[in-house]
Amino acid sequence: MNRNAFAAASAFAVVAVFSAAVVAQDMRPDRAIKYRQGIMQAQGWQMGVLSRMAKGEIPYNKDQAVRAATFVNELSKMSWEGFVPVSDSGNTKARPDVWKDKAKFDRLAQEMQSETPKLVAAANSGDVAQLRAAVGAVGKACNNCHDDFQKQ
Amino acid sequence: MNRNAFAAASAFAVVAVFSAAVVAQDMRPDRAIKYRQGIMQAQGWQMGVLSRMAKGEIPYNKDQAVRAATFVNELSKMSWEGFVPVSDSGNTKARPDVWKDKAKFDRLAQEMQSETPKLVAAANSGDVAQLRAAVGAVGKACNNCHDDFQKQ
């Protein structure tokens, strides 16, 4: 297979995989945008609870930390299917780069999702210092993606 | 204990339990409203996917059904802490009854959460008829609460 044929085949494979992944989605961009914003909003709120707890701004409560961390971990898997192609216009802060550099977007998305189980473990440890470190790591992973793919 | 003393003690117990449950929450109503709306939005979107799949409007895909049902089940536990007392004004469709008749609100919330594991089971069965029935039951449980507690 020469390089052009390989590139064409790869492009086809990417499209095929991507299509399979979204076959049963709601493809209306306005709905998908609200969906992913809803998930992001919820993640942010629960991360806010954990962040203030880690900083001592609100009382430490292990049960609530575990609950919030569990929710963040569950939510971390949900927003991605809301990035239906191509929904970079309308009421969204998503940059076109989400679809133009999908490999990088997916990598950063995966990195964030690899941090959230550690957040659950840190919450379960009952150790505020561990929680603080894990909240920082998840927050950094969120920002790594927002820096490149979210309009400021 | 006479009736008045019992009523007073019960009221105190309810307040105490409620306070404990929200001790570590973000009590700013505007943030809490956006949080719960985000969760509701996400539930609605995933339920929409399942509903259209159950009706045959989009192709049946078991993996996607399981994924959507799992998300609905996880999300079904999340919105409630966003109903911080008392956040019935501002950009919300929540009626004051959410807080005035909290016992009923909590009961309907619980009934909805008791249906969503059945939705996951139905999705895992691979049987569209089971999925259709479970989607209907969850939808009915959503509406039961919206009818009484959401402004139309």
Side-chain angles (χ1 to χ4, degrees):
Chain A
M1 196 183 286
N2 67 33
R3 185 170 298 182
N4 284 347
F6 179 75
S10 300
F12 177 78
V14 168
V15 170
V17 168
F18 195 65
S19 299
V22 298
V23 65
Q25 296 316 309
D26 187 335
M27 303 299 284
R28 291 170 292 188
D30 58 327
R31 307 291 182 100
I33 289 169
K34 282 187 182 171
Y35 167 75
R36 68 198 191 211
Q37 287 175 342
I39 298 293
M40 297 279 181
Q41 184 75 38
Q43 288 176 117
W45 197 74
Q46 294 289 0
M47 279 295 288
V49 169
L50 290 167
S51 176
R52 281 194 301 285
M53 204 184 283
K55 290 178 194 165
E57 295 175 5
I58 54 177
Y60 176 73
N61 177 315
K62 183 182 168 183
D63 289 345
Q64 181 56 31
V66 170
R67 182 179 168 86
T70 301
F71 287 172
V72 168
N73 185 45
E74 290 172 349
L75 290 162
S76 75
K77 300 169 179 63
M78 296 187 195
S79 70
W80 316 110
E81 63 201 76
F83 290 91
V84 300
V86 173
S87 47
D88 63 348
S89 61
N91 183 25
T92 178
K93 292 199 280 185
R95 290 186 186 164
D97 294 350
V98 169
W99 295 270
K100 284 185 193 157
D101 194 355
K102 191 154 190 326
K104 185 175 182 187
F105 180 75
D106 288 347
R107 180 172 58 76
L108 293 177
Q110 194 53 55
E111 285 177 12
M112 188 275 274
Q113 292 171 79
S114 73
E115 292 295 338
T116 55
K118 300 178 203 166
L119 182 66
V120 177
N124 273 301
S125 77
D127 177 357
V128 181
Q130 280 191 46
L131 181 65
R132 193 178 303 121
V135 166
V138 172
K140 186 170 182 304
C142 293
N143 289 337
N144 283 348
C145 196
H146 292 167
D147 286 348
D148 283 346
F149 293 103
Q150 187 186 50
K151 292 173 197 161
Q152 300 306 311
Chain B
M1 195 183 287
N2 66 35
R3 187 170 295 183
N4 282 349
F6 179 76
S10 300
F12 178 77
V14 168
V15 169
V17 168
F18 195 67
S19 299
V22 298
V23 64
Q25 296 317 309
D26 187 334
M27 303 300 283
R28 291 170 292 187
D30 58 327
R31 306 292 182 100
I33 288 169
K34 281 187 183 172
Y35 167 75
R36 69 197 191 211
Q37 287 173 343
I39 298 292
M40 297 279 180
Q41 183 75 39
Q43 288 176 117
W45 196 74
Q46 294 289 0
M47 279 295 289
V49 170
L50 290 167
S51 176
R52 280 194 301 285
M53 204 184 284
K55 290 179 195 164
E57 294 175 6
I58 54 176
Y60 177 73
N61 177 315
K62 183 182 168 183
D63 289 347
Q64 182 56 31
V66 170
R67 182 179 168 86
T70 301
F71 287 172
V72 168
N73 185 45
E74 291 172 349
L75 291 162
S76 75
K77 300 170 180 60
M78 297 187 194
S79 69
W80 316 111
E81 62 201 78
F83 290 91
V84 301
V86 172
S87 47
D88 64 348
S89 61
N91 183 24
T92 178
K93 291 200 279 185
R95 290 186 187 163
D97 294 350
V98 169
W99 295 271
K100 284 184 192 156
D101 194 355
K102 193 157 187 323
K104 185 176 183 187
F105 179 75
D106 287 348
R107 180 171 58 76
L108 294 177
Q110 195 52 56
E111 284 177 11
M112 188 275 273
Q113 291 171 81
S114 72
E115 291 296 338
T116 54
K118 301 178 203 167
L119 181 68
V120 178
N124 273 301
S125 77
D127 176 357
V128 181
Q130 281 191 44
L131 182 65
R132 194 178 304 122
V135 167
V138 172
K140 186 170 182 303
C142 293
N143 289 337
N144 283 347
C145 197
H146 292 167
D147 285 347
D148 283 347
F149 293 105
Q150 187 185 51
K151 291 173 197 161
Q152 300 305 312

